[in-house]
Amino acid sequence: MRVNIEELPTKNWHHFLRLRDLRQILTSIDTTGVNCVLELGAGDGIQTDALRKIFPVVVPVDIAPSGDVEGMVIADVAKLPFEDASFDLIFSSNLLEHVENLDAAFSEMKRVLAPGGVMIHSMPTSVWKFSQLILRPVASIFRITRSIMPLPPVTQPRAQQGSHGMLEGLTPTKRSIAKKIVGTLIPTIHGVSGNHVTELLHFRPRWWHRRFENSGFAVDYSLPLYFHSPYDLLPYRFLKLRDFLSRNGMASVYAFVLRDLRNTSCD
């Protein structure tokens, strides 16, 4: 579906994409009766602020937040510090592919989700993963060119360490020249799947459908979101083309709406 992009950030491509996808998700689902929202992997809080404009209570959680977010709870998704049936809606954006113990995480989500509640998780697709692989040399050329001829930054710096936030106190690991050369051609593993081939397989929407169902969740439906290249290449360019591609099988991110068929709500 086409999404209204008015008033979305114009100086931070990462924020633009996150808020654009969230806007599409929220206009595609019924949020009637949703009061208490748990946001997992809140990062720097850009989506937290948007959620708080819509829902009365939004609790952000992150194991390594990348910003100072009001009410942030520092916790592991596999060990949530909340009472049973505390939330009407659980939301995460580009988080689950970084979770080591999905079984424990899903068990905790199920525990804190109120009867009748909804879970929404968005993750990158194999389209994104494939573009991450083939566009790595292009991104390296862009980076080298910018280092030789410095230009004003197109977007704000993004967290580099951790799954979805900057880990304070980390000392960057020095790489050998050989590893730097390889790194210009081959990207690092994005999530926790172990290798690029496994990620290509696991990032397919069909794989996530099976994973959710095997964990006891009913997948209401999945939603293709948007097409965007990794490495923030060509931000704010070709927006109509990106929208066309996403609606024709080339979405870089999919959202999954999971429903708990019980029918009560949290207070």
Side-chain angles (χ1 to χ4, degrees), residues 50 53 66 72 157 260:
K53 293 177 181 178
S66 54
M72 176 70 77
D260 187 326

Side-chain angles (χ1 to χ4, degrees), residues 30 78 132 144 154-155 165 167 174 198 208 212 235 241 250 254:
D30 181 8
Q132 185 209 26
I144 293 170
V154 177
T155 61
L167 301 181
K174 292 185 178 181
T198 303
W208 280 108
F212 290 132
L241 175 60
M250 293 287 287
Y254 254 73

Side-chain angles (χ1 to χ4, degrees), residues 5-254:
I5 61 174
E6 293 181 4
E7 299 182 2
L8 291 181
T10 58
K11 296 183 179 180
N12 188 311
W13 180 236
H14 176 64
H15 286 175
F16 175 93
L17 293 171
R18 288 288 192 268
L19 292 177
R20 182 229 166 265
D21 286 353
L22 179 60
R23 185 172 291 184
Q24 180 179 347
I25 290 169
L26 293 178
T27 56
S28 302
I29 67 170
D30 181 8
T31 58
T32 303
V34 173
N35 295 307
C36 310
V37 176
L38 175 63
E39 182 192 6
L40 300 174
D44 62 7
I46 185 63
Q47 290 171 307
T48 309
D49 291 340
L51 289 167
R52 283 175 170 165
K53 293 177 181 178
I54 300 172
F55 303 107
V57 178
V58 177
V59 180
V61 171
D62 204 305
I63 196 170
S66 54
D68 184 12
V69 183
E70 181 181 354
M72 176 70 77
V73 176
I74 309 299
D76 189 332
V77 67
K79 190 180 294 185
L80 296 172
F82 306 111
E83 298 292 333
D84 296 357
S86 297
F87 300 96
D88 299 306
L89 172 65
I90 296 176
F91 170 75
S92 79
S93 173
N94 297 269
L95 168 70
L96 295 187
E97 71 272 19
H98 299 287
V99 175
E100 292 279 359
N101 192 339
L102 279 174
D103 289 333
F106 287 149
S107 178
E108 279 292 270
M109 292 180 212
K110 187 178 295 185
R111 180 182 65 79
V112 302
L113 185 65
V118 179
M119 291 206 309
I120 303 172
H121 301 290
S122 69
M123 281 85 67
T125 66
S126 53
V127 169
W128 179 88
K129 181 62 189 180
F130 183 72
S131 64
Q132 185 209 26
L133 291 171
I134 65 172
L135 292 176
R136 180 64 179 184
V138 176
S140 296
I141 292 172
F142 267 75
R143 187 177 68 252
I144 293 170
T145 302
R146 289 178 66 85
S147 68
I148 296 173
M149 299 183 298
L151 297 172
V154 177
T155 61
Q156 296 178 8
R158 294 177 57 180
Q160 298 297 316
Q161 298 289 344
S163 60
H164 44 84
M166 180 67 74
L167 301 181
E168 296 183 2
L170 268 179
T171 301
T173 302
K174 292 185 178 181
R175 297 186 301 165
S176 66
I177 294 178
K179 287 184 177 180
K180 288 181 179 180
I181 293 174
V182 171
T184 63
L185 301 175
I186 303 175
T188 58
I189 303 300
H190 177 72
V192 295
S193 297
N195 60 68
H196 293 298
V197 173
T198 303
E199 283 197 336
L200 278 169
L201 296 174
H202 286 188
F203 284 8
R204 295 174 301 160
R206 184 179 301 176
W207 187 90
W208 280 108
H209 266 276
R210 290 198 302 267
R211 191 67 180 79
F212 290 132
E213 290 170 353
N214 291 340
S215 299
F217 296 105
V219 180
D220 194 350
Y221 59 91
S222 57
L223 183 68
L225 296 180
Y226 204 43
F227 174 82
H228 63 87
S229 58
Y231 314 112
D232 291 344
L233 291 174
L234 302 176
Y236 299 102
R237 303 292 181 87
F238 312 113
L239 297 184
K240 291 184 179 180
L241 175 60
R242 293 174 187 271
D243 183 65
F244 173 82
L245 292 174
S246 68
R247 290 184 285 109
N248 288 273
M250 293 287 287
S252 297
V253 181
Y254 254 73

